[in-house]
PDB file of all heavy atoms in Angstrom:
ATOM      1  N   LEU A1133     -10.300  -9.672  15.458  1.00 88.00           N
ATOM      2  CA  LEU A1133      -9.174  -9.994  16.315  1.00 88.00           C
ATOM      3  C   LEU A1133      -9.482 -11.140  17.202  1.00 88.00           C
ATOM      4  O   LEU A1133      -8.791 -12.156  17.307  1.00 88.00           O
ATOM      5  CB  LEU A1133      -8.845  -8.760  17.093  1.00 88.00           C
ATOM      6  CG  LEU A1133      -7.528  -8.730  17.798  1.00 88.00           C
ATOM      7  CD1 LEU A1133      -6.402  -8.968  16.823  1.00 88.00           C
ATOM      8  CD2 LEU A1133      -7.334  -7.362  18.515  1.00 88.00           C
ATOM      9  N   ALA A1137     -15.843 -12.037  24.260  1.00 85.00           N
ATOM     10  CA  ALA A1137     -15.744 -12.874  25.450  1.00 85.00           C
ATOM     11  C   ALA A1137     -14.331 -13.204  25.840  1.00 85.00           C
ATOM     12  O   ALA A1137     -14.029 -13.648  26.960  1.00 85.00           O
ATOM     13  CB  ALA A1137     -16.512 -14.198  25.225  1.00 85.00           C
ATOM     14  N   ASP A1138     -13.362 -12.994  24.869  1.00 86.00           N
ATOM     15  CA  ASP A1138     -11.970 -13.209  25.213  1.00 86.00           C
ATOM     16  C   ASP A1138     -11.411 -12.074  26.080  1.00 86.00           C
ATOM     17  O   ASP A1138     -10.343 -12.226  26.689  1.00 86.00           O
ATOM     18  CB  ASP A1138     -11.132 -13.293  23.952  1.00 86.00           C
ATOM     19  CG  ASP A1138     -11.416 -14.561  23.180  1.00 86.00           C
ATOM     20  OD1 ASP A1138     -11.575 -15.603  23.857  1.00 86.00           O
ATOM     21  OD2 ASP A1138     -11.403 -14.566  21.923  1.00 86.00           O
ATOM     22  N   GLY A1144      -6.337  -6.834  31.143  1.00 89.00           N
ATOM     23  CA  GLY A1144      -5.870  -6.944  29.743  1.00 89.00           C
ATOM     24  C   GLY A1144      -5.652  -8.330  29.294  1.00 89.00           C
ATOM     25  O   GLY A1144      -5.518  -9.266  30.059  1.00 89.00           O
ATOM     26  N   ALA A1146      -3.514 -10.294  25.690  1.00 92.00           N
ATOM     27  CA  ALA A1146      -2.637 -10.005  24.529  1.00 92.00           C
ATOM     28  C   ALA A1146      -3.203 -10.650  23.322  1.00 92.00           C
ATOM     29  O   ALA A1146      -3.827 -11.725  23.379  1.00 92.00           O
ATOM     30  CB  ALA A1146      -1.247 -10.480  24.822  1.00 92.00           C
ATOM     31  N   TRP A1148      -2.161 -11.290  18.935  1.00 91.00           N
ATOM     32  CA  TRP A1148      -1.121 -11.292  17.864  1.00 91.00           C
ATOM     33  C   TRP A1148      -1.728 -10.659  16.591  1.00 91.00           C
ATOM     34  O   TRP A1148      -2.834 -11.104  16.202  1.00 91.00           O
ATOM     35  CB  TRP A1148      -0.652 -12.739  17.564  1.00 91.00           C
ATOM     36  CG  TRP A1148       0.350 -12.870  16.509  1.00 91.00           C
ATOM     37  CD1 TRP A1148       0.134 -12.997  15.167  1.00 91.00           C
ATOM     38  CD2 TRP A1148       1.777 -12.883  16.695  1.00 91.00           C
ATOM     39  NE1 TRP A1148       1.306 -13.056  14.529  1.00 91.00           N
ATOM     40  CE2 TRP A1148       2.365 -13.008  15.436  1.00 91.00           C
ATOM     41  CE3 TRP A1148       2.608 -12.796  17.840  1.00 91.00           C
ATOM     42  CZ2 TRP A1148       3.753 -13.086  15.230  1.00 91.00           C
ATOM     43  CZ3 TRP A1148       3.974 -12.856  17.660  1.00 91.00           C
ATOM     44  CH2 TRP A1148       4.529 -13.022  16.352  1.00 91.00           C
ATOM     45  N   GLN A1157       2.593  -7.592  18.761  1.00 93.00           N
ATOM     46  CA  GLN A1157       1.847  -8.116  19.838  1.00 93.00           C
ATOM     47  C   GLN A1157       1.120  -6.913  20.518  1.00 93.00           C
ATOM     48  O   GLN A1157       1.758  -5.920  20.855  1.00 93.00           O
ATOM     49  CB  GLN A1157       2.788  -8.751  20.902  1.00 93.00           C
ATOM     50  CG  GLN A1157       3.597  -9.920  20.308  1.00 93.00           C
ATOM     51  CD  GLN A1157       4.321 -10.698  21.400  1.00 93.00           C
ATOM     52  OE1 GLN A1157       4.077 -10.514  22.611  1.00 93.00           O
ATOM     53  NE2 GLN A1157       5.231 -11.573  21.023  1.00 93.00           N
ATOM     54  N   PRO A1172     -24.555   6.889  33.764  1.00 44.00           N
ATOM     55  CA  PRO A1172     -25.383   7.450  34.804  1.00 44.00           C
ATOM     56  C   PRO A1172     -24.829   7.174  36.181  1.00 44.00           C
ATOM     57  O   PRO A1172     -23.975   6.269  36.309  1.00 44.00           O
ATOM     58  CB  PRO A1172     -26.728   6.802  34.600  1.00 44.00           C
ATOM     59  CG  PRO A1172     -26.396   5.521  33.915  1.00 44.00           C
ATOM     60  CD  PRO A1172     -25.092   5.645  33.212  1.00 44.00           C
ATOM     61  N   ASN A1200       7.405  -8.973  26.675  1.00 92.00           N
ATOM     62  CA  ASN A1200       6.048  -8.753  26.177  1.00 92.00           C
ATOM     63  C   ASN A1200       5.084  -9.021  27.358  1.00 92.00           C
ATOM     64  O   ASN A1200       4.633 -10.136  27.514  1.00 92.00           O
ATOM     65  CB  ASN A1200       5.762  -9.648  25.007  1.00 92.00           C
ATOM     66  CG  ASN A1200       6.715  -9.349  23.847  1.00 92.00           C
ATOM     67  OD1 ASN A1200       6.932  -8.174  23.488  1.00 92.00           O
ATOM     68  ND2 ASN A1200       7.279 -10.371  23.247  1.00 92.00           N
ATOM     69  N   ARG A1204      -0.431  -7.799  30.935  1.00 91.00           N
ATOM     70  CA  ARG A1204      -0.569  -8.437  32.257  1.00 91.00           C
ATOM     71  C   ARG A1204      -0.341  -7.414  33.428  1.00 91.00           C
ATOM     72  O   ARG A1204      -0.197  -7.780  34.551  1.00 91.00           O
ATOM     73  CB  ARG A1204       0.410  -9.574  32.413  1.00 91.00           C
ATOM     74  CG  ARG A1204       0.013 -10.749  31.516  1.00 91.00           C
ATOM     75  CD  ARG A1204       1.024 -11.876  31.556  1.00 91.00           C
ATOM     76  NE  ARG A1204       1.614 -12.166  30.269  1.00 91.00           N
ATOM     77  CZ  ARG A1204       2.791 -12.769  30.074  1.00 91.00           C
ATOM     78  NH1 ARG A1204       3.536 -13.083  31.117  1.00 91.00           N
ATOM     79  NH2 ARG A1204       3.268 -12.954  28.863  1.00 91.00           N
ATOM     80  N   VAL A1207      -4.591  -2.473  35.537  1.00 89.00           N
ATOM     81  CA  VAL A1207      -5.316  -1.336  34.949  1.00 89.00           C
ATOM     82  C   VAL A1207      -5.745  -0.424  36.063  1.00 89.00           C
ATOM     83  O   VAL A1207      -6.217  -0.907  37.118  1.00 89.00           O
ATOM     84  CB  VAL A1207      -6.526  -1.849  34.181  1.00 89.00           C
ATOM     85  CG1 VAL A1207      -7.394  -0.652  33.683  1.00 89.00           C
ATOM     86  CG2 VAL A1207      -6.104  -2.655  32.988  1.00 89.00           C
ATOM     87  N   GLY A1208      -5.584   0.862  35.858  1.00 88.00           N
ATOM     88  CA  GLY A1208      -6.036   1.787  36.872  1.00 88.00           C
ATOM     89  C   GLY A1208      -6.279   3.160  36.248  1.00 88.00           C
ATOM     90  O   GLY A1208      -6.368   3.258  35.050  1.00 88.00           O
ATOM     91  N   ASP A1209      -6.428   4.139  37.070  1.00 86.00           N
ATOM     92  CA  ASP A1209      -6.515   5.467  36.522  1.00 86.00           C
ATOM     93  C   ASP A1209      -5.648   6.413  37.357  1.00 86.00           C
ATOM     94  O   ASP A1209      -5.565   6.278  38.560  1.00 86.00           O
ATOM     95  CB  ASP A1209      -7.986   5.989  36.399  1.00 86.00           C
ATOM     96  CG  ASP A1209      -8.664   6.027  37.744  1.00 86.00           C
ATOM     97  OD1 ASP A1209      -9.072   4.947  38.183  1.00 86.00           O
ATOM     98  OD2 ASP A1209      -8.729   7.085  38.339  1.00 86.00           O
ATOM     99  N   GLN A1211      -5.082  10.501  37.826  1.00 80.00           N
ATOM    100  CA  GLN A1211      -5.698  11.762  37.550  1.00 80.00           C
ATOM    101  C   GLN A1211      -6.708  11.698  36.425  1.00 80.00           C
ATOM    102  O   GLN A1211      -6.763  12.442  35.453  1.00 80.00           O
ATOM    103  CB  GLN A1211      -4.558  12.739  37.044  1.00 80.00           C
ATOM    104  CG  GLN A1211      -3.294  12.585  37.906  1.00 80.00           C
ATOM    105  CD  GLN A1211      -2.863  13.862  38.508  1.00 80.00           C
ATOM    106  OE1 GLN A1211      -2.476  14.754  37.789  1.00 80.00           O
ATOM    107  NE2 GLN A1211      -2.950  13.967  39.794  1.00 80.00           N
ATOM    108  N   HIS A1224       3.948   3.577  34.301  1.00 90.00           N
ATOM    109  CA  HIS A1224       2.525   3.675  33.881  1.00 90.00           C
ATOM    110  C   HIS A1224       2.406   4.154  32.474  1.00 90.00           C
ATOM    111  O   HIS A1224       3.167   5.092  32.048  1.00 90.00           O
ATOM    112  CB  HIS A1224       1.752   4.639  34.818  1.00 90.00           C
ATOM    113  CG  HIS A1224       1.741   4.195  36.246  1.00 90.00           C
ATOM    114  ND1 HIS A1224       2.714   4.585  37.131  1.00 90.00           N
ATOM    115  CD2 HIS A1224       0.842   3.411  36.881  1.00 90.00           C
ATOM    116  CE1 HIS A1224       2.403   4.006  38.298  1.00 90.00           C
ATOM    117  NE2 HIS A1224       1.311   3.325  38.197  1.00 90.00           N
TER     118      HIS A1224
ATOM    119  N   GLU B1070      -4.058   8.220  45.123  1.00 79.00           N
ATOM    120  CA  GLU B1070      -5.048   9.289  44.849  1.00 79.00           C
ATOM    121  C   GLU B1070      -6.502   8.781  44.919  1.00 79.00           C
ATOM    122  O   GLU B1070      -7.422   9.570  44.926  1.00 79.00           O
ATOM    123  CB  GLU B1070      -4.789   9.822  43.441  1.00 79.00           C
ATOM    124  CG  GLU B1070      -5.132   8.882  42.282  1.00 79.00           C
ATOM    125  CD  GLU B1070      -5.047   9.541  40.901  1.00 79.00           C
ATOM    126  OE1 GLU B1070      -4.032  10.214  40.616  1.00 79.00           O
ATOM    127  OE2 GLU B1070      -5.998   9.414  40.125  1.00 79.00           O
ATOM    128  N   HIS B1071      -6.711   7.485  45.006  1.00 84.00           N
ATOM    129  CA  HIS B1071      -8.052   6.989  45.047  1.00 84.00           C
ATOM    130  C   HIS B1071      -8.706   6.869  46.409  1.00 84.00           C
ATOM    131  O   HIS B1071      -9.856   6.828  46.584  1.00 84.00           O
ATOM    132  CB  HIS B1071      -8.146   5.620  44.325  1.00 84.00           C
ATOM    133  CG  HIS B1071      -7.619   5.709  42.918  1.00 84.00           C
ATOM    134  ND1 HIS B1071      -6.342   5.381  42.590  1.00 84.00           N
ATOM    135  CD2 HIS B1071      -8.270   6.103  41.779  1.00 84.00           C
ATOM    136  CE1 HIS B1071      -6.226   5.587  41.253  1.00 84.00           C
ATOM    137  NE2 HIS B1071      -7.369   6.042  40.776  1.00 84.00           N
ATOM    138  N   LYS B1113     -13.953   5.634  39.070  1.00 74.00           N
ATOM    139  CA  LYS B1113     -12.512   5.436  39.083  1.00 74.00           C
ATOM    140  C   LYS B1113     -12.211   3.954  39.134  1.00 74.00           C
ATOM    141  O   LYS B1113     -12.997   3.150  39.595  1.00 74.00           O
ATOM    142  CB  LYS B1113     -11.927   6.149  40.280  1.00 74.00           C
ATOM    143  CG  LYS B1113     -12.123   7.618  40.267  1.00 74.00           C
ATOM    144  CD  LYS B1113     -11.207   8.317  39.258  1.00 74.00           C
ATOM    145  CE  LYS B1113     -11.508   9.800  39.177  1.00 74.00           C
ATOM    146  NZ  LYS B1113     -10.395  10.628  39.067  1.00 74.00           N
ATOM    147  N   LEU B1114     -11.018   3.637  38.636  1.00 81.00           N
ATOM    148  CA  LEU B1114     -10.664   2.196  38.535  1.00 81.00           C
ATOM    149  C   LEU B1114      -9.736   1.795  39.620  1.00 81.00           C
ATOM    150  O   LEU B1114      -9.523   0.622  39.844  1.00 81.00           O
ATOM    151  CB  LEU B1114      -9.952   2.032  37.157  1.00 81.00           C
ATOM    152  CG  LEU B1114     -10.753   2.440  35.953  1.00 81.00           C
ATOM    153  CD1 LEU B1114      -9.882   2.400  34.729  1.00 81.00           C
ATOM    154  CD2 LEU B1114     -11.986   1.536  35.778  1.00 81.00           C
ATOM    155  N   GLY B1115      -9.149   2.762  40.327  1.00 84.00           N
ATOM    156  CA  GLY B1115      -8.097   2.415  41.288  1.00 84.00           C
ATOM    157  C   GLY B1115      -6.769   2.406  40.518  1.00 84.00           C
ATOM    158  O   GLY B1115      -6.651   2.914  39.402  1.00 84.00           O
ATOM    159  N   ASP B1117      -2.379   0.643  40.602  1.00 82.00           N
ATOM    160  CA  ASP B1117      -1.557  -0.488  41.008  1.00 82.00           C
ATOM    161  C   ASP B1117      -1.094  -0.434  42.418  1.00 82.00           C
ATOM    162  O   ASP B1117      -0.421  -1.316  42.911  1.00 82.00           O
ATOM    163  CB  ASP B1117      -0.385  -0.635  40.037  1.00 82.00           C
ATOM    164  CG  ASP B1117       0.398   0.640  39.854  1.00 82.00           C
ATOM    165  OD1 ASP B1117      -0.280   1.707  39.817  1.00 82.00           O
ATOM    166  OD2 ASP B1117       1.631   0.601  39.763  1.00 82.00           O
ATOM    167  N   LYS B1120      -5.215  -1.149  44.370  1.00 86.00           N
ATOM    168  CA  LYS B1120      -5.888  -2.402  43.994  1.00 86.00           C
ATOM    169  C   LYS B1120      -5.300  -3.690  44.644  1.00 86.00           C
ATOM    170  O   LYS B1120      -6.027  -4.393  45.301  1.00 86.00           O
ATOM    171  CB  LYS B1120      -5.977  -2.557  42.478  1.00 86.00           C
ATOM    172  CG  LYS B1120      -7.050  -1.626  41.856  1.00 86.00           C
ATOM    173  CD  LYS B1120      -6.906  -1.484  40.367  1.00 86.00           C
ATOM    174  CE  LYS B1120      -7.668  -2.535  39.627  1.00 86.00           C
ATOM    175  NZ  LYS B1120      -7.667  -2.314  38.161  1.00 86.00           N
ATOM    176  N   LYS B1400      -8.753 -19.750  30.702  1.00 82.00           N
ATOM    177  CA  LYS B1400      -8.637 -18.959  29.453  1.00 82.00           C
ATOM    178  C   LYS B1400      -7.572 -17.869  29.522  1.00 82.00           C
ATOM    179  O   LYS B1400      -7.049 -17.425  28.498  1.00 82.00           O
ATOM    180  CB  LYS B1400     -10.012 -18.257  29.229  1.00 82.00           C
ATOM    181  CG  LYS B1400     -10.880 -18.969  28.226  1.00 82.00           C
ATOM    182  CD  LYS B1400     -12.231 -18.317  28.124  1.00 82.00           C
ATOM    183  CE  LYS B1400     -12.169 -16.789  27.680  1.00 82.00           C
ATOM    184  NZ  LYS B1400     -13.517 -16.235  27.603  1.00 82.00           N
ATOM    185  N   ARG B1401      -7.286 -17.441  30.701  1.00 82.00           N
ATOM    186  CA  ARG B1401      -6.313 -16.344  30.820  1.00 82.00           C
ATOM    187  C   ARG B1401      -4.874 -16.798  30.523  1.00 82.00           C
ATOM    188  O   ARG B1401      -4.001 -16.002  30.255  1.00 82.00           O
ATOM    189  CB  ARG B1401      -6.361 -15.766  32.228  1.00 82.00           C
ATOM    190  CG  ARG B1401      -7.632 -15.174  32.598  1.00 82.00           C
ATOM    191  CD  ARG B1401      -7.493 -13.856  33.298  1.00 82.00           C
ATOM    192  NE  ARG B1401      -6.910 -12.851  32.475  1.00 82.00           N
ATOM    193  CZ  ARG B1401      -6.555 -11.654  32.899  1.00 82.00           C
ATOM    194  NH1 ARG B1401      -6.635 -11.353  34.125  1.00 82.00           N
ATOM    195  NH2 ARG B1401      -6.055 -10.758  32.075  1.00 82.00           N
ATOM    196  N   VAL B1406      -4.766 -14.239  22.773  1.00 87.00           N
ATOM    197  CA  VAL B1406      -6.113 -14.750  22.751  1.00 87.00           C
ATOM    198  C   VAL B1406      -6.526 -15.232  21.377  1.00 87.00           C
ATOM    199  O   VAL B1406      -7.460 -15.992  21.238  1.00 87.00           O
ATOM    200  CB  VAL B1406      -7.183 -13.664  23.179  1.00 87.00           C
ATOM    201  CG1 VAL B1406      -7.146 -13.448  24.648  1.00 87.00           C
ATOM    202  CG2 VAL B1406      -6.925 -12.387  22.425  1.00 87.00           C
ATOM    203  N   ASN B1407      -5.766 -14.815  20.351  1.00 87.00           N
ATOM    204  CA  ASN B1407      -6.203 -15.164  18.974  1.00 87.00           C
ATOM    205  C   ASN B1407      -5.159 -16.027  18.302  1.00 87.00           C
ATOM    206  O   ASN B1407      -5.214 -16.177  17.078  1.00 87.00           O
ATOM    207  CB  ASN B1407      -6.461 -13.903  18.167  1.00 87.00           C
ATOM    208  CG  ASN B1407      -5.171 -13.038  18.048  1.00 87.00           C
ATOM    209  OD1 ASN B1407      -4.252 -13.229  18.816  1.00 87.00           O
ATOM    210  ND2 ASN B1407      -5.155 -12.192  17.060  1.00 87.00           N
ATOM    211  N   ARG B1410       0.391 -19.721  19.360  1.00 84.00           N
ATOM    212  CA  ARG B1410       1.850 -19.752  19.517  1.00 84.00           C
ATOM    213  C   ARG B1410       2.292 -19.153  20.838  1.00 84.00           C
ATOM    214  O   ARG B1410       1.663 -18.308  21.429  1.00 84.00           O
ATOM    215  CB  ARG B1410       2.503 -19.007  18.334  1.00 84.00           C
ATOM    216  CG  ARG B1410       2.579 -17.504  18.516  1.00 84.00           C
ATOM    217  CD  ARG B1410       3.130 -16.820  17.293  1.00 84.00           C
ATOM    218  NE  ARG B1410       2.113 -16.538  16.318  1.00 84.00           N
ATOM    219  CZ  ARG B1410       2.301 -16.228  15.026  1.00 84.00           C
ATOM    220  NH1 ARG B1410       3.572 -16.193  14.571  1.00 84.00           N
ATOM    221  NH2 ARG B1410       1.354 -15.998  14.231  1.00 84.00           N
ATOM    222  N   ASP B1412       5.007 -16.909  23.075  1.00 88.00           N
ATOM    223  CA  ASP B1412       5.647 -15.642  22.800  1.00 88.00           C
ATOM    224  C   ASP B1412       6.983 -15.918  22.143  1.00 88.00           C
ATOM    225  O   ASP B1412       7.896 -16.446  22.732  1.00 88.00           O
ATOM    226  CB  ASP B1412       5.841 -14.855  24.110  1.00 88.00           C
ATOM    227  CG  ASP B1412       6.468 -13.531  23.863  1.00 88.00           C
ATOM    228  OD1 ASP B1412       6.894 -13.222  22.715  1.00 88.00           O
ATOM    229  OD2 ASP B1412       6.596 -12.733  24.811  1.00 88.00           O
ATOM    230  N   ASP B1414       9.359 -14.064  21.385  1.00 86.00           N
ATOM    231  CA  ASP B1414      10.481 -13.231  21.806  1.00 86.00           C
ATOM    232  C   ASP B1414      11.175 -13.776  23.068  1.00 86.00           C
ATOM    233  O   ASP B1414      12.097 -13.198  23.556  1.00 86.00           O
ATOM    234  CB  ASP B1414      10.019 -11.799  22.097  1.00 86.00           C
ATOM    235  CG  ASP B1414       9.546 -11.120  20.804  1.00 86.00           C
ATOM    236  OD1 ASP B1414       9.864 -11.651  19.729  1.00 86.00           O
ATOM    237  OD2 ASP B1414       8.842 -10.097  20.902  1.00 86.00           O
TER     238      ASP B1414
END
Side-chain angles (χ1 to χ4, degrees):
Chain A
L1133 194 56
D1138 288 323
W1148 179 272
Q1157 300 190 12
N1200 300 314
R1204 292 177 239 156
V1207 172
D1209 58 281
Q1211 319 234 295
H1224 298 90
Chain B
E1070 69 171 49
H1071 302 96
K1113 297 286 176 141
L1114 304 170
D1117 52 322
K1120 285 166 85 173
K1400 260 175 60 181
R1401 297 222 68 188
V1406 286
N1407 62 341
R1410 83 184 85 196
D1412 180 354
D1414 295 344

